[in-house]
Amino acid sequence: MAKEKTPKTNAMRILDRLKISYEVMSYQCDEFIDGIHTADTLVLSLKNECLKAVLMTLVLQGKSKGYSVFVLPIEEELNLKECAKAVNEKSVEMIHVKDINAVTGYIRGCCTALGMKKEYPTIIHESALDCPYICVSAGKLGVQLKLSPQDFIKATGAKALNIIHE
């Protein structure tokens, strides 16, 4: 039986164009439950390696109405004061779920900093640099990308900062 090939997403095309190597990780997902469910599924296929390597992507809007993207370990929580400081805003807040597609081009559960409708300032939590690889959404439910944090930073122009509650 032939192995089913995952169709390319915008995120994959961007990485291909930049000649950045990555691994596609697919899993059964009929609907998005939550990030922890995704991480638990991936950690099993990663042979119980580092859960902090599975990252989620959140989009925030600042007082100036500008958007910014924050990428952090799935079990962590953003420190909004640190996030605002990272993007030179007085304050930031999460965008509403109904606005995710209009702002990013992705749906809830598949948001990735790679290939959004527009390029937004992107901040990745500095702990990602401690991992040999990270897993981020490929922009489609049930598909994740495994790549080095340095390559992710190269592809997104992200800055690595402390953006979570300690």
Side-chain angles (χ1 to χ4, degrees):
M1 184 173 176
K3 186 178 177 184
E4 191 175 317
K5 190 172 179 182
T6 303
K8 293 273 183 180
T9 64
N10 285 342
M12 292 176 204
R13 287 195 249 335
I14 288 167
L15 294 174
D16 289 344
R17 189 173 60 243
L18 295 171
K19 297 181 177 20
I20 291 175
S21 64
Y22 60 92
E23 181 181 332
V24 177
M25 302 181 69
S26 300
Y27 58 97
Q28 183 60 38
C29 182
D30 297 324
E31 66 178 289
F32 178 71
I33 297 170
D34 64 27
I36 300 297
H37 178 262
T38 300
D40 287 343
T41 303
L42 289 175
V43 167
L44 290 174
S45 65
L46 293 170
K47 298 174 180 53
N48 295 320
E49 293 182 46
C50 187
L51 183 62
K52 75 177 185 176
V54 182
L55 306 180
M56 65 178 159
T57 302
L58 302 174
V59 180
L60 280 64
Q61 186 174 33
K63 272 280 201 224
S64 71
K65 301 296 182 199
Y67 299 104
S68 40
V69 178
F70 294 86
V71 184
L72 64 153
I74 202 78
E75 290 189 316
E76 299 294 345
E77 186 177 315
L78 285 176
N79 178 328
L80 294 179
K81 286 185 179 187
E82 291 301 320
C83 291
K85 189 165 57 171
V87 293
N88 297 316
E89 288 279 358
K90 285 188 178 200
S91 64
V92 291
E93 61 183 31
M94 293 281 298
I95 64 170
H96 196 278
V97 173
K98 68 176 178 54
D99 297 328
I100 291 173
N101 185 261
V103 172
T104 68
Y106 294 116
I107 62 169
R108 180 176 181 261
C110 334
C111 202
T112 180
L114 295 160
M116 287 188 177
K117 282 183 172 182
K118 294 182 181 179
E119 285 189 33
Y120 300 113
T122 301
I123 311 295
I124 186 170
H125 187 260
E126 61 193 8
S127 66
L129 299 177
D130 298 334
C131 300
Y133 62 83
I134 58 173
C135 294
V136 296
S137 176
K140 181 179 178 188
L141 279 178
V143 185
Q144 296 277 311
L145 299 174
K146 180 179 172 184
L147 70 160
S148 79
Q150 294 79 11
D151 283 341
F152 178 84
I153 288 169
K154 177 182 171 185
T156 61
K159 292 183 203 171
L161 299 170
N162 182 10
I163 52 171
I164 63 173
H165 284 286
E166 296 299 324

